[in-house]
Amino acid sequence: MLPVLFVIMGGIGLPGGAVFIERGRIRGRWRHSLISAAGPLTNVLFAAVCTAPFWLHALDGVPTDFRYALAFLALLQVTAAILNFLPVPGLDGYGVIEPWLSYRIKRQVEPFAPFGLLFVFALLWVPALNVAFFDVIHTLLRHLGVDALDQACGWNLYRFWEDTPEICSVSR
């Protein structure tokens, strides 16, 4: 229920679904860390694929709705990568550092793991943190060639049920 609610509320890129990993079969801390990093690194890869047409200037002749949708998808991928790389219990960022923590610290943190993502989203409800977080996202996307208008228009397309200003109807 929560992922659907979060997506409807704002179109934020969610970290991927929980995957059971038989940690006892994996040898070595580096392998544990790399397995945890695989999810967010996949988001980074998809963000690079989604932004490539922008930084390669390969969008001439492409319908504007496709351009906007691609920009919004890039926003979701960058958001998911950053959220999932946070070293918060229950997220992959914590999974990357967990093999390097002492047994005592792991035991103290373990009860909070199911609530890590909820804690992050609660923090994002704080207006100053939300603005700072999305400033980082928009800055990264701008450096990757995706301008704010493309992102905003993609967000407007995504939230088709809302009445939004027609800033996106101007053709590029």
Side-chain angles (χ1 to χ4, degrees), residues 19-42:
V19 176
F20 177 72
I21 299 169
E22 292 184 50
R23 297 282 182 182
R25 294 178 180 247
I26 302 165
R27 301 285 176 237
R29 291 191 269 190
W30 280 107
R31 289 183 181 166
H32 282 269
S33 293
L34 289 173
I35 287 168
S36 291
L41 288 174
T42 301

Side-chain angles (χ1 to χ4, degrees), residues 86 88 116-131 133:
L86 293 175
V88 174
L117 185 59
L118 291 176
F119 175 71
V120 169
F121 280 118
L123 286 177
L124 287 175
W125 277 98
V126 176
L129 293 176
N130 186 286
V131 168
F133 176 76

Side-chain angles (χ1 to χ4, degrees), residues 19-165:
V19 176
F20 177 72
I21 299 169
E22 292 184 50
R23 297 282 182 182
R25 294 178 180 247
I26 302 165
R27 301 285 176 237
R29 291 191 269 190
W30 280 107
R31 289 183 181 166
H32 282 269
S33 293
L34 289 173
I35 287 168
S36 291
L41 288 174
T42 301
N43 290 119
V44 169
L45 174 66
F46 283 128
V49 168
C50 291
T51 60
F54 292 93
W55 44 267
L56 291 172
H57 306 287
L59 288 168
D60 290 339
V62 172
T64 54
D65 283 354
F66 180 80
R67 176 189 188 101
Y68 299 154
L70 199 56
F72 183 67
L73 184 57
L75 177 126
L76 292 177
Q77 291 299 325
V78 170
T79 304
I82 290 174
L83 284 175
N84 213 7
F85 263 130
L86 293 175
V88 174
L91 298 177
D92 287 331
Y94 177 76
V96 170
I97 64 169
E98 182 188 30
W100 308 93
L101 299 175
S102 71
Y103 179 79
R104 185 180 60 80
I105 291 174
K106 285 191 248 186
R107 288 291 155 225
Q108 288 175 338
V109 170
E110 190 176 303
F112 301 104
F115 308 105
L117 185 59
L118 291 176
F119 175 71
V120 169
F121 280 118
L123 286 177
L124 287 175
W125 277 98
V126 176
L129 293 176
N130 186 286
V131 168
F133 176 76
F134 279 100
D135 280 349
V136 169
I137 302 295
H138 296 307
T139 300
L140 281 170
L141 286 169
R142 196 169 37 255
H143 286 307
L144 292 169
V146 183
D147 67 36
L149 180 64
D150 289 335
Q151 297 171 50
C153 291
W155 191 81
N156 284 343
L157 282 175
Y158 170 76
R159 295 188 52 109
F160 62 89
W161 59 88
E162 288 185 349
D163 275 339
T164 55

